[in-house]
Amino acid sequence: MPDKRGKLGGRYRVVEVFTARRCKTNRRRLAASKLRPLIGASAISGEAQRESSLIPKKYLLLETDLGNVAMLLRPDSAPLTVEHVCRLVDEGLYNGCYFYRSDFVLQWGLWLPNETEVKNPYPDIAANETDSGTFLSNRPGTVAIAHGIGVNGNSDIFINLQDNDYLDTMSLGFCVFAELDAKSRRVVKDLAEAVVNGLKPVIWQASIESQLQKKEKLLEAPVYWCFLHLSPPCIHQSCVPSVLHPRFPLAVSMQRSYDSFCSQWEDFKSVLVVKPKDENG
């Protein structure tokens, strides 16, 4: 008598082969059905990338004590926020302000080194754009708007120094509107260390640039330093003459310490020294 297990085994083997073929076909159909929406999504994504590539790139450029900081603006992520920041920059409100915070973020706003607040004529941003447009998380090197609970941001801006993705949802989310240029990371690190050490790095000039290029600082012209050298050696940010506007470039330049000036211009004194005439005339 044939082994029943042999018949069953043979029948099972046929069923297994048939089932395997059917499952293979079903898997192909399922993969194709899943691939179709992905293909459509990739096509849409490609169109969005092409549209975004047509938008000219703009950078928020900060010329600081320790070098330039460039940030690529992302209107595809937060158009209202980018427009608002550009308006503040074009008005020159950030010129002469300083970096006042450095822990998990490097932050600045409309505050002068003498703790005077710059008057801001513009209201808060119309909307918190954390969940609108292309989503950008608060990861290292991203730039976002600071704000209080239940209100939208305005003029205080911070650069994420570490992974702060919890800020994406904390207090209704902190909107990322720009990304730090790779060449600016060293300068940001130096600025962060300076703030930790109790210094007040100044933003000499903030501007919106269509392309990055090396710009020489007008504030370092010898005429300014000549005036500084002829002034008493007690020049400090608290000794700035009140007759000068707090954001006037000369007033800002005078806030640099006398020691810093001497270290950069060691040989400048010799130019101003008048040698006495000898006996022969």
Side-chain angles (χ1 to χ4, degrees), residues 19 62-63 82 94 110 119 139 143 158 165-166 177 193 214 218 241:
T19 303
L62 304 180
E63 299 178 57
V82 170
Y94 289 113
L110 299 181
K119 184 178 180 181
R139 298 299 177 89
V143 187
F158 64 86
D165 56 353
Y166 65 92
F177 69 95
E193 292 178 354
K214 187 175 181 181
L218 178 62

Side-chain angles (χ1 to χ4, degrees), residues 96-195:
C97 296
Y98 77 105
F99 297 90
Y100 63 82
R101 177 178 182 175
S102 175
D103 38 31
F104 57 94
V105 298
L106 176 65
Q107 189 165 328
W108 73 94
L110 299 181
W111 292 92
L112 300 173
N114 59 3
E115 303 305 330
T116 301
E117 185 176 8
V118 177
K119 184 178 180 181
N120 181 9
Y122 299 103
D124 293 347
I125 302 171
N128 186 341
E129 299 179 289
T130 302
D131 296 326
S132 63
T134 304
F135 175 74
L136 297 175
S137 180
N138 284 269
R139 298 299 177 89
T142 56
V143 187
I145 286 286
H147 63 80
I149 300 176
V151 298
N152 296 331
N154 194 315
S155 58
D156 287 77
I157 302 174
F158 64 86
I159 300 174
N160 287 290
L161 300 177
Q162 61 188 37
D163 190 355
N164 299 321
D165 56 353
Y166 65 92
L167 295 179
D168 298 339
T169 55
M170 180 180 177
S171 299
L172 302 179
F174 291 86
C175 176
V176 174
F177 69 95
E179 296 174 306
L180 186 65
D181 183 70
K183 296 181 180 180
S184 302
R185 294 183 183 273
R186 180 189 59 79
V187 178
V188 169
K189 182 180 178 181
D190 294 340
L191 289 169
E193 292 178 354
V195 176

Side-chain angles (χ1 to χ4, degrees), residues 7-58:
K7 287 185 178 181
L8 292 176
R11 186 177 63 182
Y12 287 158
R13 282 194 294 272
V14 173
V15 172
E16 287 174 357
V17 172
F18 176 75
T19 303
R21 289 177 179 174
R22 185 170 60 184
C23 291
K24 188 175 182 179
T25 303
N26 290 340
R27 284 197 298 270
R28 289 177 178 175
R29 292 176 179 174
L30 181 61
S33 64
K34 289 183 177 180
L35 186 60
R36 278 193 290 270
L38 291 178
I39 294 175
S42 63
I44 296 174
S45 177
E47 292 178 0
Q49 290 179 357
R50 284 193 294 272
E51 291 179 359
S52 62
S53 63
L54 297 177
I55 302 176
K57 292 183 178 181
K58 289 187 177 181

Side-chain angles (χ1 to χ4, degrees), residues 275-281:
K275 295 183 179 181
K277 296 182 179 180
D278 55 17
E279 297 179 354
N280 298 326

Side-chain angles (χ1 to χ4, degrees), residues 76-88:
D76 59 314
S77 176
L80 295 178
T81 306
V82 170
E83 181 182 2
H84 179 82
V85 172
C86 289
R87 185 182 300 117
L88 298 182

Side-chain angles (χ1 to χ4, degrees), residues 59-96:
Y59 296 85
L60 169 56
L61 181 65
L62 304 180
E63 299 178 57
T64 76
D65 284 338
L66 303 179
N68 292 352
V69 178
M71 292 153 281
L72 175 64
L73 297 174
R74 293 293 302 271
D76 59 314
S77 176
L80 295 178
T81 306
V82 170
E83 181 182 2
H84 179 82
V85 172
C86 289
R87 185 182 300 117
L88 298 182
V89 172
D90 290 339
E91 289 288 337
L93 300 183
Y94 289 113
N95 298 344

